[in-house]
Amino acid sequence: MSKPVLQYVALCILAAWAVVAQSAYSALLIFEQVNSDRYMRVPFFTRSYTSTIEAIFPTYEDSGLRVGDRVLALNRRRVNGLEQIDRARFFQGPGDLLQVTVQRSLPDGRISVLTIPVRLHEYRSEGLAWLTLTARTLLPLCCLLVGFFIAFVRPRDPLAWITMAMLTSFAEGVSGFEYWSIWPPWRELFIIYHSVLTNMWPLWVVLFGLYFPMPFEVIRRNRWIAWVLAAPFICVAAISLYADLAEGNHYAELTQIAAANQLTQRPLDIVSGLCAVSFFILLAAKRRRLDSPDAKRRINIMLAGCFVSVVPLVLFVLFSVNMIPAPSNWLDAGLVLPLTLLFPVTMAYVIIVQRAMDVRMVVRMGVKYAFASTTLNVLRLALIVLAIMFTVRFITDSEHHWQALLFGLIGTAVVIGLRRSSNTATRWMDRKFFREAYNAEIILSGLANTVARIRDRKPLLETIALRISDSLHPVCMAILLDSGERYSVAHSIGLPSPDNLQFPKRCATLRLLKEQNAPAKVFFDDPQSWVYGATEAEQETLRNLNAQILIPISLDSRLLGIMTLGPKRSEAPYSRRDLQLLSAVASQAGLALDNARLTENIRREIAQRERLDRELEIAREVQQRLFPQKLPHVQGLDFAGYCRPALGVGGDYYDFIRLDSGCLGVAIGDVSGKGIAAALMMASLQASLRGQTIAPCETLAEMIQHVNRLVFESSSDNRYATFFYAEYDPKTRSIRYVNAGHNAPILSRNHSQKYVLRLEDGGTVLGLFPDAPYREAKVDTRPGDMVVAFTDGISEAMNAREEEFGEERLIDTVRRCNSRTAAELITCILDQVDAFTAGAPQHDDMTLVVMRMSD
């Protein structure tokens, strides 16, 4: 929302005008009071817009002047308006003679010249005179300051402008009007200021009753009604302004207006009185119809403040015009002015403060605390004075300097001790009279430290909610946390159905809390509140939460959640100290929530790892079941196989298949990748191979082509497998094989330690191409020959220096262990690999298949 620049400019102009006008008039009053023994006071009052005498001061009752006489001249100077009458005061002093020329009203309208000795104005007491002066200067100034302060605080609020206008009108009504002795053009500015305010105050009173604390529904929907009400007051004010400006020197031009004023003055006074009465009627009627407890409390405070402040002022005015007797001790005590000052203070409180305390609570606690604090201060002062007196007495009576010094030190210590004791007593009194606030501070301060040590989210939220509820006693509260695309209720107290209460992430409420990073007050009674900038769905959510305060839970500019608090059970508003403590709790809660989130993530990760470990263990067991569990018996052949996966499961594969022809199918393979994905492809490869061996093809090359196609169709584009498949015929001792891109197995001849044959013929790897060609090869074996098939996890095993074990070391190991059985040879090879790597971490599966031909 843009800044209300135009409103501020208008307020600055009006404030300057009002302060200058009021200051000038106050200076004139003070000047008259200080010089009351030098200048006279005009003996009479005249009717509005005429020179006809309406009232005569008591000190001039024997002067010969009569009510109804028309003043023609003062000291032989013709009277054309109020300026001549007003200026006459400054040219006459005590002991001078004032010559007044009048035209008698009765019986014959003759002209008379009266010589009147100037007399001083008689006051009931000097104190009363200064009290009256103070009331007519200080009270208007306070009204001006409070009125413009309200408008500057809430420049967009029509009620604030109405309140400002009403308070300035009240100030001008109290101050009076004697501006014609000021030099032009300043007096014209002051006359306009005075005339508009004094004629418009009934309108401000009615509008305040219509708009406070919130406008009637019919007014809110039909703003033209306010203009219709204002129209007659504006017309009267315009006519009065013209007459007031002309009254200074143009009585002759105002004859008709004066006659109309004489006829309409009483009806206008009745209308003004009715407007004042309507103020109370409208507030009372609105109090019945409003549902908001806070709005009702505002009206109660407004009515109570008006009664306490305005009634003494009315009595003071009646006493000033001698309509009722007044006890001088009451007035001289100066109670009228302080009580009247309650009126602007009350207006400021009910307009600016967004949550009002109950009247009974304000009065009860205020009176109790005032009496207690006053008594304590008096007692403290008396004890300090006594201590000083006794100290001085002992010092003066001392015969030696050291005695005087000792008594001085003792007296100083006593005075300091009394001061500290009084501070302790003051804190005790604060705890006694504001025990709820004191206890809340203790509880919430401790809570801010407690939440920092809690790591679980649920007990954390429960602790925060319970402790805040015990300290501030809200009707309800809720804690909403970030749950993805929205903030939803994670914990609540006192809400009937909080499950569906949530705020979208891009809503105005969250945007406000992120921008200001401070508690926000929810105030539906104020049409200017930020709440009405939110969507209807947000407003409905705030109403269902019964929220009065929103506290952001933030950490490092991230909004983790929101705390919402409903009204206090005591109906007291949330103080600034409450909000500071809640902000401290929210700050610690943000850190604790983040720690709880991290702890929960760690727990979740640990649980997930445990679950994955269990799944890997199951997968490992399943994969182990895919390897041959029982080796078939083949005449003249000793064979064995082993797989050591680098992870729980791997992509290496070996198999021994007893064929219907009596031959033994031997397979070894290495699937690209590791882990679950490689293990699944290995299982697919095994299933494809075994499926093909059930219905054997004419050649091994054709069978491997079928396996390749099946693997290609069941795997992704980046998956493949190296594969070696052989069939051993025990009758002929021959081996037919196809090598599909695998590490060439080693055929070690028994008759020659140096002769090693590599079984390399075949084709490309499986799974990359759908129709890859393969060729079959055949070798004959003799008793004692040994075939060792392996995966690259054996040959590429690395030590700490990143040196590979290599196929040469593997061949040497095979030669050295040539006399051992197939199982023993596998163990020997693995021992050699482990000795070479010396504990260095390995990243690939290790698989070995050994076949040894025997007699």
Side-chain angles (χ1 to χ4, degrees):
M1 186 180 294
S2 60
K3 293 184 178 180
V5 178
L6 293 179
Q7 290 92 327
Y8 281 132
V9 171
L11 283 172
C12 290
I13 295 174
L14 293 175
W17 188 5
V19 170
V20 171
Q22 192 59 51
S23 300
Y25 179 66
S26 298
L28 182 60
L29 286 179
I30 295 173
F31 176 81
E32 288 184 348
Q33 181 64 31
V34 172
N35 298 280
S36 59
D37 57 342
R38 296 177 55 192
Y39 301 108
M40 76 162 189
R41 189 161 190 174
V42 178
F44 51 81
F45 284 119
T46 60
R47 293 174 185 169
S48 299
Y49 315 131
T50 69
S51 61
T52 303
I53 296 176
E54 187 173 33
I56 302 172
F57 282 105
T59 53
Y60 292 98
E61 289 179 351
D62 58 350
S63 63
L65 293 174
R66 302 173 187 172
V67 174
D69 291 347
R70 187 161 68 91
V71 180
L72 301 179
L74 292 176
N75 292 331
R76 298 182 181 180
R77 293 184 179 181
R78 183 176 178 82
V79 173
N80 296 317
L82 274 180
E83 183 175 359
Q84 291 79 23
I85 299 175
D86 198 23
R87 288 185 178 275
R89 295 180 298 160
F90 299 99
F91 297 96
Q92 302 287 138
D96 294 340
L97 297 177
L98 176 65
Q99 189 177 83
V100 182
T101 303
V102 297
Q103 182 179 13
R104 300 293 187 180
S105 58
L106 293 174
D108 53 1
R110 61 187 175 86
I111 297 176
S112 299
V113 179
L114 303 176
T115 302
I116 304 172
V118 175
R119 301 169 186 172
L120 296 178
H121 182 71
E122 295 181 0
Y123 295 99
R124 291 179 181 268
S125 68
E126 189 68 19
L128 178 60
W130 282 103
L131 177 62
T132 305
L133 177 64
T134 304
R136 299 179 67 185
T137 55
L138 181 59
L139 180 59
L141 184 60
C142 291
C143 290
L144 287 181
L145 293 177
V146 172
F148 279 98
F149 172 73
I150 294 172
F152 272 103
V153 171
R154 305 172 69 85
R156 288 191 174 91
D157 189 357
L159 181 59
W161 286 77
I162 294 171
T163 306
M164 179 198 70
M166 188 167 68
L167 284 175
T168 50
S169 297
F170 180 76
E172 193 62 19
V174 171
S175 62
F177 173 68
E178 295 178 4
Y179 284 135
W180 282 106
S181 53
I182 300 175
W183 292 276
W186 299 103
R187 68 184 179 193
E188 279 73 19
L189 291 176
F190 301 157
I191 289 170
I192 295 172
Y193 173 79
H194 170 83
S195 179
V196 171
L197 291 177
T198 52
N199 286 286
M200 295 292 286
W201 75 263
L203 173 64
W204 310 135
V205 169
V206 173
L207 290 179
F208 186 87
L210 292 174
Y211 278 86
F212 175 79
M214 56 195 332
F216 284 102
E217 187 66 21
V218 63
I219 298 295
R220 190 177 65 83
R221 292 183 177 179
N222 305 286
R223 296 183 180 273
W224 56 267
I225 296 178
W227 289 103
V228 171
L229 290 174
F233 292 97
I234 293 175
C235 293
V236 172
I239 296 172
S240 297
L241 177 60
Y242 167 76
D244 290 340
L245 289 172
E247 190 179 15
N249 294 286
H250 302 284
Y251 275 153
E253 298 178 6
L254 301 176
T255 305
Q256 295 181 353
I257 293 178
N261 181 72
Q262 190 71 17
L263 294 175
T264 59
Q265 186 61 49
R266 188 169 184 80
L268 289 177
D269 291 341
I270 294 174
V271 170
S272 299
L274 292 176
C275 290
V277 173
S278 69
F279 169 82
F280 295 95
I281 294 175
L282 289 171
L283 291 183
K286 195 175 290 186
R287 185 183 181 281
R288 281 186 168 186
R289 301 181 59 180
L290 288 176
D291 296 328
S292 171
D294 184 71
K296 292 183 178 180
R297 287 196 297 272
R298 289 173 184 276
I299 293 176
N300 291 338
I301 293 174
M302 187 73 248
L303 293 174
C306 289
F307 179 81
V308 173
S309 59
V310 174
V311 169
L313 181 62
V314 173
L315 295 176
F316 177 74
V317 172
L318 295 177
F319 163 70
S320 299
V321 297
N322 295 322
M323 293 185 65
I324 62 170
S328 59
N329 57 346
W330 178 66
L331 289 172
D332 290 339
L335 290 178
V336 173
L337 178 61
L339 291 176
T340 308
L341 287 175
L342 284 176
F343 180 70
V345 172
T346 302
M347 300 287 287
Y349 180 78
V350 298
I351 298 299
I352 296 177
V353 177
Q354 289 190 326
R355 299 290 173 192
M357 293 179 66
D358 185 69
V359 178
R360 293 169 295 179
M361 181 181 299
V362 174
V363 173
R364 182 174 67 250
M365 298 305 297
V367 171
K368 287 175 65 178
Y369 185 77
F371 275 113
S373 60
T374 302
T375 303
L376 182 62
N377 290 331
V378 171
L379 180 61
R380 175 175 59 183
L381 181 61
L383 291 174
I384 291 176
V385 170
L386 287 175
I388 294 175
M389 290 175 59
F390 279 112
T391 302
V392 173
R393 175 72 179 274
F394 286 132
I395 291 174
T396 54
D397 292 345
S398 300
E399 297 179 356
H400 302 284
H401 292 293
W402 65 269
Q403 292 178 342
L405 179 61
L406 178 61
F407 286 128
L409 293 174
I410 293 174
T412 304
V414 170
V415 171
I416 295 175
L418 288 173
R419 183 174 182 84
R420 290 185 176 179
S421 300
S422 65
N423 292 336
T424 303
T426 301
R427 289 193 295 269
W428 172 85
M429 186 178 62
D430 288 340
R431 289 196 299 268
K432 180 174 179 59
F433 290 107
F434 301 101
R435 182 171 298 168
E436 180 183 352
Y438 178 80
N439 291 339
E441 182 170 353
I442 295 297
I443 293 173
L444 293 181
S445 298
L447 177 60
N449 298 323
T450 301
V451 297
R453 298 191 296 268
I454 302 177
R455 294 292 180 266
D456 293 331
R457 195 179 79 167
K458 184 176 180 181
L460 172 65
L461 299 181
E462 291 175 349
T463 301
I464 293 174
L466 183 62
R467 298 288 287 277
I468 291 178
S469 180
D470 290 342
S471 59
L472 297 178
H473 308 291
V475 174
C476 59
M477 72 167 294
I479 302 177
L480 295 87
L481 298 181
D482 187 355
S483 58
E485 293 299 320
R486 59 188 55 84
Y487 287 75
S488 54
V489 176
H491 187 77
S492 66
I493 295 178
L495 291 176
S497 54
D499 295 338
N500 297 326
L501 301 178
Q502 56 191 14
F503 290 106
K505 274 200 169 180
R506 299 182 179 274
C507 67
T509 303
L510 299 183
R511 189 163 55 250
L512 174 73
L513 293 175
K514 288 179 181 177
E515 289 175 356
Q516 66 182 26
N517 195 27
K521 296 182 179 180
V522 181
F523 196 61
F524 284 101
D525 295 339
D526 183 7
Q528 304 296 316
S529 173
W530 66 269
V531 176
Y532 290 101
T535 63
E536 292 185 1
E538 289 179 64
Q539 296 179 29
E540 186 64 24
T541 301
L542 290 171
R543 286 191 174 92
N544 292 333
L545 287 169
N546 196 14
Q548 274 196 2
I549 300 293
L550 302 179
I551 302 99
I553 303 175
S554 303
L555 181 67
D556 298 334
S557 72
R558 291 183 293 121
L559 186 63
L560 304 181
I562 312 169
M563 278 196 299
T564 71
L565 273 70
K568 290 185 178 181
R569 297 185 187 278
S570 63
E571 297 186 350
Y574 289 95
S575 65
R576 180 179 300 178
R577 183 59 180 164
D578 291 339
L579 299 183
Q580 290 174 349
L581 291 170
L582 289 170
S583 296
V585 171
S587 178
Q588 293 296 331
L591 181 61
L593 279 173
D594 196 57
N595 291 336
R597 178 184 61 82
L598 293 176
T599 304
E600 188 174 347
N601 288 344
I602 293 173
R603 289 175 180 171
R604 188 183 299 113
E605 185 175 351
I606 292 174
Q608 185 176 3
R609 286 193 176 186
E610 291 177 350
R611 179 176 58 82
L612 289 176
D613 289 343
R614 289 194 299 271
E615 293 177 355
L616 284 174
E617 181 64 22
I618 294 172
R620 189 187 67 80
E621 292 177 359
V622 171
Q623 187 178 41
Q624 290 297 322
R625 298 294 297 177
L626 295 178
F627 294 132
Q629 301 300 305
K630 186 177 180 180
L631 301 181
H633 176 73
V634 177
Q635 184 67 34
L637 183 66
D638 176 24
F639 60 95
Y642 179 76
C643 177
R644 180 197 287 176
L647 302 176
V649 293
D652 280 9
Y653 163 62
Y654 77 92
D655 203 355
F656 299 112
I657 306 172
R658 184 62 180 266
L659 302 176
D660 293 340
S661 61
C663 297
L664 177 67
V666 180
I668 187 170
D670 186 0
V671 176
S672 63
K674 301 173 183 64
I676 296 293
L680 292 175
M681 188 174 178
M682 179 272 251
S684 174
L685 175 60
Q686 188 218 34
S688 300
L689 176 63
R690 284 187 172 262
Q692 291 301 311
T693 58
I694 294 175
C697 301
E698 293 182 1
T699 63
L700 292 184
E702 183 181 356
M703 184 186 75
I704 296 304
Q705 286 179 347
H706 292 169
V707 172
N708 173 66
R709 187 176 297 107
L710 292 173
V711 172
F712 176 83
E713 292 174 352
S714 62
S715 61
S716 58
D717 294 340
N718 60 344
R719 290 289 180 181
Y720 63 91
T722 64
F723 188 65
F724 175 83
Y725 179 75
E727 287 185 359
Y728 174 76
D729 188 350
K731 296 177 181 179
T732 62
R733 296 182 182 272
S734 62
I735 297 176
R736 294 185 303 145
Y737 71 91
V738 174
N739 190 334
H742 194 73
N743 302 84
I746 301 168
L747 174 59
S748 176
R749 296 295 189 180
N750 185 38
H751 64 277
S752 176
Q753 291 291 333
K754 295 183 179 180
Y755 183 73
V756 173
L757 180 67
R758 304 298 298 271
L759 308 182
E760 299 175 338
D761 294 335
T764 187
V765 297
L766 302 181
L768 278 183
F769 308 103
D771 298 313
Y774 296 94
R775 63 182 179 275
E776 176 183 324
K778 180 180 178 182
V779 293
D780 294 324
T781 64
R782 299 174 183 177
D785 290 350
M786 187 176 293
V787 176
V788 178
F790 60 93
T791 60
D792 56 6
I794 297 292
S795 59
E796 295 177 3
M798 301 179 71
N799 59 17
R801 295 187 298 274
E802 297 187 355
E803 297 173 344
E804 292 186 352
F805 183 73
E807 294 185 357
E808 292 299 326
R809 287 187 177 89
L810 176 60
I811 293 172
D812 290 342
T813 302
V814 171
R815 286 171 177 169
R816 288 197 305 269
C817 303
N818 192 36
S819 60
R820 300 188 182 188
T821 64
E824 290 173 349
L825 180 57
I826 290 175
T827 302
C828 182
I829 294 173
L830 292 175
D831 289 342
Q832 290 298 313
V833 172
D834 291 340
F836 175 79
T837 59
Q842 302 303 308
H843 305 288
D844 204 355
D845 305 333
M846 297 181 181
T847 304
L848 286 167
V849 170
V850 176
M851 294 186 296
R852 183 181 184 85
M853 289 68 182
S854 59
D855 296 334

